[in-house]
Amino acid sequence: MEKRPFVFVIEDAEEIASIFAEVLGMHGMDVEIIMDGAVALERLATVTPDLVLLDMHLPNVSGLEILDVIRGDERLKEIKVIAVTANALLALDLEDKADLTFIKPVSFAQISELSTRMMHKLTTGT
């Protein structure tokens, strides 16, 4: 049986996190929702997901700090990271760190298209 890609949705807005998780799940991914930056760092210390959907504004530890940890850790640095922010200027600053950046509000169609593309990359390596 083929391994399903594993995704962390790190987002503190419950409704947005649920929508992301539902769409990613519909596209064949296993999803864990994390709503706190400190908890995200604890999970990343022991788990290496295939993809992280990362909100930049989180309680306790910012998404930017989490992104810096991911990119600075040899075990984690190859994780695909999609940054999500409402701040267009911050989105520009993230271009060199994140694999993709979405500016909120993110539509269902955008997440669905992204899921299709990411699923292809994660399962084929291309």
Side-chain angles (χ1 to χ4, degrees):
M1 184 174 182
E2 190 175 300
K3 177 186 172 279
R4 291 168 51 108
F6 183 58
V7 181
F8 279 171
V9 172
I10 306 173
E11 166 65 62
D12 64 328
E14 191 171 340
E15 186 174 322
I16 294 170
S18 294
I19 291 168
F20 287 166
E22 183 177 335
V23 174
L24 294 166
M26 288 171 30
H27 285 83
M29 299 180 200
D30 290 328
V31 180
E32 179 178 335
I33 295 174
I34 303 170
M35 301 181 77
D36 178 281
V39 173
L41 286 180
E42 289 173 13
R43 292 291 292 141
L44 285 165
T46 59
V47 177
T48 307
D50 299 295
L51 172 67
V52 172
L53 215 70
L54 179 61
D55 182 27
M56 289 295 105
H57 302 285
L58 297 163
N60 299 312
V61 177
S62 76
L64 190 54
E65 290 175 80
I66 293 168
L67 185 53
D68 285 342
V69 167
I70 290 171
R71 292 302 183 231
D73 185 314
E74 195 63 34
R75 180 179 60 86
L76 303 174
K77 72 179 185 180
E78 297 301 320
I79 294 172
K80 299 292 185 210
V81 177
I82 298 160
V84 183
T85 182
N87 182 330
L89 291 176
L90 178 58
L92 290 173
D93 290 341
L94 296 170
E95 286 183 352
D96 292 336
K97 292 184 180 185
D99 294 286
L100 189 62
T101 303
F102 278 145
I103 299 173
K104 290 181 180 180
V106 180
S107 72
F108 187 90
Q110 285 175 303
I111 295 298
S112 186
E113 169 65 21
L114 163 77
S115 299
T116 301
R117 288 175 32 207
M118 281 297 165
M119 187 66 171
H120 177 75
K121 282 184 178 186
L122 292 170
T123 56
T124 66
T126 60

